[in-house]
Amino acid sequence: MKILFFLVGYLCLGATLGFGQEYKFDKVVNHDLSTAYFPHQQTTNFFNSEDYSYFMNIYWQNDTLKARIFDIKRKQEHYFFYDKDISSNLNFIKTVKFNPYLEKITYTFSEIEIKKGKKQLVFKLFNNNKKIIAKYKLTIEKTKKNYFPIFKWSSSETFLSQEIIPPFNFKVIKAKGKNIGGAHILYQLKSEKDINLVVKVSKN
């Protein structure tokens, strides 16, 4: 975990990594995501609050710190690893194509309710037959910019390809519910920080 925080701190300085396709990030977010089989998954994601068509996720795999950028427009995933003995930057691994979730869905947001001083609303997703396929109770804070996609990207990869526009700007502080895959989740925003980071991916 110390290496992860070191990397986040280093990247937030505004480093440019590699060359080719350019991705800009202005916010780094830490959150806790729990499911029945994987409780308390601590995750760090990087976002561009002006363009949510991509984001970067940092994670551990086989004792190696790795990162991947999801690019929905290009239907690509770019993979990197971090090894302080090789470089202080991220090291490019590969780019792969993926098929996003294409089924058309509709959605609704309920009116805000105030419970114990906290603003809450219900977010539902429906399939073509108007059947509820996902439902979340969200605890929110109103914001000047739209930060709802941070929750969308962080909690459910099954509907990444479809834009969801909330009725007003807010960020999700906490969420509890069932996603499209049928998993019960508990999401909690732990921290967020404004940054200035550019990542460039190899053309090859």
Side-chain angles (χ1 to χ4, degrees):
M1 186 61 68
K2 289 183 179 179
I3 296 177
L4 174 59
F5 286 126
F6 168 78
L7 176 60
V8 171
Y10 176 82
L11 291 177
C12 289
L13 295 177
T16 298
L17 317 175
F19 54 90
Q21 178 60 44
E22 183 175 279
Y23 296 94
K24 297 180 180 180
F25 303 94
D26 61 10
K27 189 169 287 291
V28 58
V29 174
N30 294 291
H31 70 267
D32 183 289
L33 183 67
S34 293
T35 65
Y37 296 104
F38 300 101
H40 301 297
Q41 301 172 76
Q42 302 290 327
T43 305
T44 299
N45 291 329
F46 292 76
F47 297 94
N48 180 345
S49 62
E50 301 296 334
D51 183 359
Y52 288 108
S53 67
Y54 61 85
F55 82 113
M56 183 168 69
N57 169 242
I58 293 179
Y59 62 100
W60 288 97
Q61 185 178 58
N62 299 325
D63 296 325
T64 299
L65 191 62
K66 294 187 176 182
R68 58 180 175 176
I69 295 176
F70 289 88
D71 187 329
I72 298 303
K73 287 183 178 179
R74 294 177 176 83
K75 300 179 182 178
Q76 293 179 333
E77 291 179 62
H78 306 292
Y79 287 84
F80 308 83
F81 74 94
Y82 174 75
D83 187 335
K84 61 182 176 61
D85 294 327
I86 298 176
S87 170
S88 59
N89 291 339
L90 291 174
N91 299 278
F92 179 73
I93 301 174
K94 62 181 179 180
T95 295
V96 299
K97 288 282 189 178
F98 72 92
N99 295 317
Y101 186 84
L102 297 176
E103 181 181 348
K104 183 68 175 179
I105 61 174
T106 56
Y107 56 89
T108 61
F109 290 90
S110 71
E111 297 293 329
I112 292 179
E113 292 185 359
I114 306 297
K115 294 186 177 181
K116 296 182 180 179
K118 297 180 180 179
K119 295 182 175 70
Q120 296 184 340
L121 55 81
V122 176
F123 169 53
K124 297 179 183 178
L125 295 167
F126 304 84
N127 62 14
N128 289 331
N129 297 318
K130 298 183 179 180
K131 178 182 178 182
I132 297 176
I133 54 176
K135 180 180 178 181
Y136 303 90
K137 178 177 284 187
L138 309 179
T139 300
I140 67 167
E141 286 184 10
K142 288 188 175 182
T143 54
K144 293 182 179 180
K145 299 178 71 173
N146 176 23
Y147 294 124
F148 173 78
I150 291 177
F151 165 72
K152 171 192 167 183
W153 284 106
S154 302
S155 64
S156 179
E157 296 183 5
T158 54
F159 61 102
L160 294 183
S161 62
Q162 183 168 329
E163 184 179 14
I164 293 179
I165 303 174
F168 54 88
N169 292 338
F170 65 85
K171 63 181 176 182
V172 177
I173 304 302
K174 187 176 181 180
K176 183 177 182 180
K178 187 176 181 180
N179 65 19
I180 293 177
H184 291 273
I185 71 161
L186 179 62
Y187 166 94
Q188 188 162 359
L189 178 66
K190 290 296 186 180
S191 65
E192 56 184 328
K193 182 178 180 180
D194 293 333
I195 60 170
N196 179 21
L197 169 67
V198 176
V199 176
K200 292 185 178 181
V201 180
S202 171
K203 295 179 181 179
N204 300 324

